[in-house]
Amino acid sequence: MSVHSLDGFAWYQKLERVRKLATQDKSTMFNNIGHIIDEEFLYYCYYELDGSKAVGIDGVTKLGYFKDVHRNIQNLLIRIRRGTYEPKPAKIVEIPKEDGSKRPLAIACLEDKIIQTAVNHILQAIFEPTFLPCSYGFRPDTGCHEAMKGLFRLMNDTPKGAIIEIDIRKYFNRVPHVPLKSFLHSRISDSRFLELIDKLLIAQTINNDGSVEVNNLGVPQGSILSPLLANIYLHNVIDLWVLDLKKFFRGTIDVIRFADDMVFVMSNAIEAQRLYATLPKRLEKYGLEMAAEKSSMLPCGTWAIRDIVTRKEPMPNFKFLGFEVRWKALPKLDRRGRKQYRPIVRPRKDRTNSRLKDVKEFLRKNLNAKNHKRVLKQVRSVVTGWVNYFSVSDCGSYLWNFTNQVRRRLYRWFNRRGKKGCMSWVKLQKILDSMKFEKYPPIRSLHPSMRKQEIPE
């Protein structure tokens, strides 16, 4: 890997220069970026890692690596620059999903995580400026709440159109390497750096049965690189494609994408049918498959919903980022005395029930725990995480119901630990108040101001 260009500058100055060049000209080719990975940069990537995460097959923790960190970092840098670095096999752990299936996660060794972090920073500096505003997943200063705000803005601005909800079957595990590498080669020509990415991409994995295999397909979830590589792939496959489609479709066409979760909002329902029929072919062309049972096309807009209500049909709803999106009638009528509707959200029932089930199972396992404060702190962290995520417009009653259900489980847990009736509701509330158990952030608004919608043609 080359080490000449700008070698006298600190790594962050080099990285900022790459980011500046990528922002100024989105067609710039980067032919010598390996010099950014130096000893200081590797130290930064090491300290950036979370030491509480699971360890790889070598059993090396962040603290254990620190005992001889200077020699370890120097040896790692030498192997990278000589091209002799080879990642160790990643351990595959299966995590259960809400639908009963399992999601495989790849747990890499600490040194491999350091390299993944370094490569991720460089790729982010090159590709982040090229991403479109419709992409929200795993990007700086964006998140699920910003994606929901963008979706609501589009839905409020569409009086009579359609929504297309798309689900890609096992996306992260099915990303083909050949087109992904071609997208990387379109911006990077540094062969040594590309070779390093290839090694990380095809690193071996160890399955639950002990078998070892080379990763010839997909970007394994759990890898630090996988979110960015997944974004780069769908940026070229979906985002830029939708940008080109605007020339050939009547009406507006927009997409809100959070990694592989995406929703298309179109002002013309007939054109939406064309797009819905075209999407499976587009995904198949790039080695992906649309899950038809989890994808759908639904009417969108206050005019479309009004027609549905007139026909006495059930209102459409769909799931996006853990929320269930529905329609609600506004108390204020329009200037012609007709009902108006706006989108609202609620937490998905399966996500809520799954989290309550986890709390119940955790309390059951810790029925005989000596320190009840440790158990309460763990439950509080789970509840706080859930509430922080769903603390948005229209979810106030669901937040109260969720915390009330957790409170009831704690009440039963305390009474099972001692004799019946040893814990009263008043005493439990005092304990929870002393631990600031129910101190939550204010509810965030997802709804932009309602704009006047013109009568569609």
Side-chain angles (χ1 to χ4, degrees):
M1 192 175 295
S2 308
V3 200
H4 347 291
S5 177
L6 299 174
D7 199 42
F9 292 83
W11 64 266
Y12 57 87
Q13 292 175 304
K14 304 173 187 177
L15 203 59
E16 283 302 314
R17 176 163 175 79
V18 169
R19 185 177 288 108
K20 184 178 179 181
L21 291 173
T23 304
Q24 291 174 346
D25 185 359
K26 296 181 180 179
S27 62
T28 302
M29 288 289 295
F30 294 89
N31 57 9
N32 187 18
I33 52 178
H35 59 84
I36 299 177
I37 302 180
D38 57 12
E39 190 171 329
E40 185 182 358
F41 189 27
L42 293 179
Y43 275 118
Y44 174 81
C45 296
Y46 165 74
Y47 288 114
E48 191 180 15
L49 294 177
D50 186 355
S52 63
K53 299 294 184 181
V55 298
I57 60 171
D58 58 359
V60 177
T61 63
K62 185 177 180 180
L63 185 60
Y65 197 81
F66 182 77
K67 293 179 180 178
D68 199 6
V69 65
H70 301 293
R71 181 180 298 176
N72 291 334
I73 293 293
Q74 289 173 356
N75 291 339
L76 180 59
L77 182 61
I78 291 173
R79 281 181 281 144
I80 294 172
R81 294 204 167 156
R82 289 178 178 175
T84 58
Y85 164 76
E86 293 292 340
K88 296 182 178 67
K91 180 171 58 177
I92 298 296
V93 177
E94 293 185 338
I95 306 297
K97 298 172 66 176
E98 288 82 3
D99 58 3
S101 61
K102 293 185 177 181
R103 176 185 290 113
L105 295 182
I107 301 176
C109 298
L110 187 82
E111 270 195 347
D112 299 331
K113 291 179 181 179
I114 295 174
I115 302 302
Q116 290 174 9
T117 305
V119 173
N120 186 71
H121 279 299
I122 296 174
L123 290 181
Q124 194 173 62
I126 295 172
F127 287 96
E128 175 63 30
T130 67
F131 291 155
L132 301 181
C134 63
S135 173
Y136 292 88
F138 307 108
R139 295 183 59 193
D141 303 321
T142 63
C144 60
H145 297 131
E146 286 73 24
M148 294 301 298
K149 285 182 182 179
L151 176 61
F152 277 17
R153 186 188 68 252
L154 295 175
M155 294 174 70
N156 284 328
D157 289 344
T158 305
K160 193 172 184 179
I163 278 181
I164 299 176
E165 175 201 8
I166 293 298
D167 183 87
I168 301 178
R169 197 184 305 278
K170 296 182 179 179
Y171 169 63
F172 283 86
N173 298 327
R174 294 191 176 186
V175 175
H177 290 180
V178 174
L180 175 60
K181 291 178 183 179
S182 69
F183 296 146
L184 295 174
H185 291 191
S186 66
R187 299 298 308 279
I188 303 171
S189 59
D190 187 334
S191 59
R192 299 293 295 276
F193 184 74
L194 290 171
E195 182 182 348
L196 178 61
I197 297 177
D198 289 345
K199 289 181 178 180
L200 295 173
L201 199 57
I202 64 173
Q204 294 180 332
T205 57
I206 300 180
N207 300 318
N208 292 332
D209 57 1
S211 60
V212 180
E213 58 183 28
V214 177
N215 179 46
N216 292 317
L217 182 66
V219 285
Q221 288 180 276
S223 168
I224 296 173
L225 264 179
S226 61
L228 180 57
L229 294 177
N231 263 341
I232 292 172
Y233 196 73
L234 283 183
H235 167 74
N236 290 272
V237 175
I238 295 295
D239 299 352
L240 296 180
W241 178 64
V242 170
L243 201 61
D244 291 336
L245 285 182
K246 293 184 178 183
K247 307 172 187 175
F248 309 102
F249 278 68
R250 291 173 295 174
T252 60
I253 169 174
D254 295 282
V255 61
I256 298 293
R257 184 175 64 81
F258 192 97
D260 59 323
D261 294 327
M262 62 191 81
V263 174
F264 298 83
V265 182
M266 302 184 66
S267 61
N268 191 308
I270 297 176
E271 296 289 2
Q273 294 177 356
R274 287 179 55 199
L275 180 63
Y276 191 58
T278 306
L279 274 168
K281 302 174 185 177
R282 174 69 179 181
L283 294 174
E284 186 179 356
K285 179 181 177 181
Y286 287 90
L288 304 175
E289 180 185 358
M290 187 176 84
E293 68 279 3
K294 296 182 181 180
S295 305
S296 59
M297 188 180 73
L298 305 168
C300 173
T302 187
W303 282 78
I305 301 303
R306 189 183 298 149
D307 292 343
I308 290 175
V309 173
T310 303
R311 297 193 300 265
K312 297 183 179 180
E313 297 176 359
M315 287 194 188
N317 62 80
F318 63 94
K319 298 173 182 177
F320 186 56
L321 301 181
F323 293 94
E324 187 176 336
V325 184
R326 296 170 170 265
W327 290 89
K328 177 184 179 181
L330 293 174
K332 185 178 179 180
L333 303 179
D334 66 5
R335 58 186 179 182
R336 297 188 181 183
R338 293 170 297 188
K339 283 187 176 181
Q340 299 184 91
Y341 296 85
R342 70 170 176 87
I344 62 171
V345 293
R346 56 164 287 177
R348 285 174 51 175
K349 288 184 179 180
D350 55 345
R351 296 285 177 90
T352 304
N353 294 336
S354 175
R355 191 50 51 93
L356 289 173
K357 184 179 178 181
D358 292 341
V359 171
K360 182 179 179 180
E361 184 66 20
F362 175 76
L363 292 176
R364 188 186 65 81
K365 290 181 178 179
N366 290 273
L367 185 62
N368 298 318
K370 296 181 180 179
N371 188 354
H372 74 271
K373 288 187 177 181
R374 179 189 62 81
V375 177
L376 288 178
K377 285 181 180 179
Q378 184 68 24
V379 175
R380 182 183 62 180
S381 66
V382 173
V383 175
T384 302
W386 192 93
V387 171
N388 282 340
Y389 188 86
F390 291 106
S391 181
V392 297
S393 308
D394 308 308
C395 289
S397 60
Y398 300 104
L399 299 180
W400 180 88
N401 182 63
F402 178 81
T403 54
N404 186 52
Q405 291 291 334
V406 173
R407 198 183 300 114
R408 288 177 178 275
R409 282 159 174 75
L410 289 173
Y411 177 77
R412 289 194 291 266
W413 179 72
F414 270 113
N415 281 311
R416 288 189 65 188
R417 283 167 58 86
K419 61 181 181 179
K420 187 177 181 180
C422 67
M423 177 62 66
S424 66
W425 284 105
V426 175
K427 187 176 179 180
L428 174 64
Q429 193 60 46
K430 288 182 179 179
I431 294 175
L432 298 182
D433 290 342
S434 67
M435 298 187 65
K436 298 180 180 180
F437 193 89
E438 297 172 345
K439 189 176 182 180
Y440 304 129
I443 292 180
R444 296 175 289 267
S445 175
L446 294 181
H447 295 281
S449 59
M450 291 291 291
R451 298 172 175 81
K452 292 182 180 180
Q453 298 183 347
E454 300 296 332
I455 300 176
E457 298 294 335

